[in-house]
Structure formats: structure tokens, C-alpha cells
Amino acid sequence: MIHKKSREEIKIMRHAGNIVALVHQEMKKVVEPGISTLELDKIAYDVIKKNKAYPTFLGYNGFPNSICTSVNEQVVHGIPSKDVILKEGDIISIDVGATFRGMVGDSAWTYAVGKISPEVQNLMNITEKALYAGIEQMIPDAPLENISAAIEDVALANKVGIVRQYGGHGVGYEMHEEPFLFNYRTNSNIIIKKNCAIAIEPMLNLGCDEVHTLADDWTVVTDDGKPSAHFEHTVIATEDGPVITTKLM
Ligand code: MG
Ligand code: MG
């Protein structure tokens, strides 16, 4: 069942999304060589709490922290740690969720730590481009497959790997609602409903498509150890076009 959001629900989701965007605004400022991913988690927690929201990830299926911090070959679901200290040349994907008045905003962004290699910068650019290509297709009554195809086309044109085990999802009162959104074509016949909300989130790899989960049962890494990038926005398909909730109001 895909939930259509009422005008009031859209308002609340935009508020939740704005809080997520405030966290990312802060992350952009503080991501630099020498900071630990646990310090980032604390800063994110404080921003979310200050804005009277709840960090959606905290306790979600037992997840121990407020944000996911995935460094270099880590794709998603990295656990913040005092022992993971960012260094020059790293990239870090930070995934943030905030629940405000019961509704969720979900957005991830990959950040460069100091100066990074041109090929990794290019991977980040491609992944961000894939996200916005997908967002453009978030149109009421259009096939959901259009979003998947737009993301896949950007990835294929740039010869990067596409993470296939994870993808986007409906979002609202729960972080993960129907439908699941693949980042490649699957012959889905799902139609995008007016005022439905979907978290669109391409995860693209510098090398192969394949990923696996580490022994901590959370951290997903690329099989070949090459870097991965992740860009995500929560988007509502309105009659006036796609509305990104997870950007600053
Ligand atoms: Mg997310
Ligand atoms: Mg998500």
C-alpha cells in the first residue's frame, strides 16, 4: 500500500526534512581530517534534538547511533565510532533521518575529506547527478520505473557500479514504506501516486556492483574495496512537480 500524503502531512514532512537538511549543513562544516565519526554522530544528535525531533535511525532494528557514517569502500550503514578518524583523501557518506511529529525525513550525502582524487570526485559528481536525474522523474501517474531507468542510465553512461541489493523506498510515518525503488530497470509496473513520498537514493561504486555486509551485521562494503558514493533526498510527487523535503526551507 502506497500512502498518499495530505496537505498537513506534507507540511510536517517538509519540517522533518528541513531538520535533516540542517544536520547536513552542519556536517558539511565539520567534516575534516582529524574528526571521528562518533563526534559527527554527537553533533547530528544535538541538531536533531535542538529542533525537537528524534533521530530516526537511533534504535531502528537495534542500530546504535543517530546517523550512518560510511567511509570510502563502505557503502551504507556504517556505525559511528571514536576509533574511525577521518583523514585527508577519504570520502564519507552520511545518512541522516529525523522524525518530527511522527513523520520522517531521510537524506544522505557523500562528503570529501580535504583533497580527494579526481576519480573519486568524479564518482561523487556522477552519483549526485543520478540522484537529480531520478528526482526529475518523480511525477504523479508516471511509472516508478522511470526513476530507476534515469539513475541506471547515468550510471551506465559513466561506467560505474550500481549497488543492487539496496535502493530507495516510500517514506512517511515509517522510514521504510512501500514501494521499494530499484536503482536499475526491473520491469516494475508500479505507478507513482500523486502526493506520495519516496526516498530516492542511488549508491554507485567506482568498481564492481557487488557488496557484502561486515561481521558487525551493519556495515555494507564493496567486494573490491573501491570507494562508493551515496546521495539521497526525500521527494514528494506533487501536481506542481517534485518537492524535495530534505533541503533547507
Ligand atoms: Mg537514508
Ligand atoms: Mg533511505
Side-chain angles (χ1 to χ4, degrees):
M1 166 92 189
I2 301 169
H3 297 281
K4 294 195 256 181
K5 271 66 183 177
S6 68
R7 191 192 287 259
E8 177 64 13
E9 287 170 330
I10 290 173
K11 224 171 98 182
I12 298 169
M13 285 194 73
R14 292 184 80 154
H15 194 105
N18 186 57
I19 296 167
V20 171
L22 288 170
V23 174
H24 277 296
Q25 180 177 250
E26 206 55 36
M27 295 291 105
K28 196 178 172 185
K29 282 186 217 157
V30 297
V31 165
E32 58 177 13
I35 195 165
S36 77
T37 53
L38 191 64
E39 287 172 277
L40 296 175
D41 180 70
K42 172 81 169 77
I43 293 164
Y45 177 87
D46 288 345
V47 172
I48 293 168
K49 279 295 180 182
K50 201 177 89 187
N51 285 280
K52 301 181 170 40
Y54 183 82
T56 315
F57 302 171
L58 183 61
Y60 185 87
N61 290 334
F63 190 77
N65 291 84
S66 299
I67 57 173
C68 297
T69 50
S70 308
V71 180
N72 297 332
E73 78 284 1
Q74 298 179 351
V75 180
V76 286
H77 306 164
I79 301 173
S81 163
K82 66 175 173 28
D83 299 324
V84 178
I85 314 283
L86 298 181
K87 57 183 196 307
E88 184 90 16
D90 285 343
I91 57 169
I92 178 170
S93 299
I94 300 178
D95 201 344
V96 181
T99 306
F100 179 77
R101 288 177 57 194
M103 303 203 78
V104 174
D106 182 11
S107 170
W109 218 253
T110 301
Y111 299 91
V113 183
K115 196 166 160 45
I116 63 171
S117 76
E119 63 172 355
V120 177
Q121 182 62 55
N122 191 39
L123 172 70
M124 288 170 55
N125 296 349
I126 292 161
T127 312
E128 185 176 352
K129 188 176 166 195
L131 167 63
Y132 284 102
I135 289 172
E136 269 181 34
Q137 303 299 325
M138 187 63 177
I139 306 292
D141 302 322
L144 185 69
E145 182 89 333
N146 288 2
I147 303 175
S148 305
I151 291 169
E152 183 179 37
D153 285 345
V154 172
L156 293 178
N158 291 283
K159 299 186 169 58
V160 294
I162 302 173
V163 175
R164 289 167 193 274
Q165 289 97 318
Y166 300 88
H169 49 89
V171 53
Y173 287 102
E174 301 291 335
M175 177 160 57
H176 294 123
E177 297 183 352
E178 286 181 48
F180 185 80
L181 172 63
F182 290 91
N183 287 321
Y184 56 96
R185 289 171 177 82
T186 60
N187 290 321
S188 151
N189 56 12
I190 297 172
I191 297 295
I192 300 167
K193 293 222 173 80
K194 189 176 110 179
N195 294 340
C196 80
I198 294 178
I200 300 175
E201 50 178 316
M203 287 149 260
L204 302 180
N205 302 339
L206 200 54
C208 68
D209 293 356
E210 288 75 23
V211 300
H212 62 278
T213 305
L214 297 183
D216 65 11
D217 278 340
W218 281 106
T219 314
V220 177
V221 298
T222 55
D223 278 10
D224 60 10
K226 291 189 178 170
S228 183
H230 182 202
F231 287 80
E232 174 185 35
H233 269 311
T234 296
V235 187
I236 299 176
T238 78
E239 269 178 336
D240 303 323
V243 169
I244 298 171
T245 70
T246 39
K247 65 178 191 188
L248 294 174
M249 278 199 278

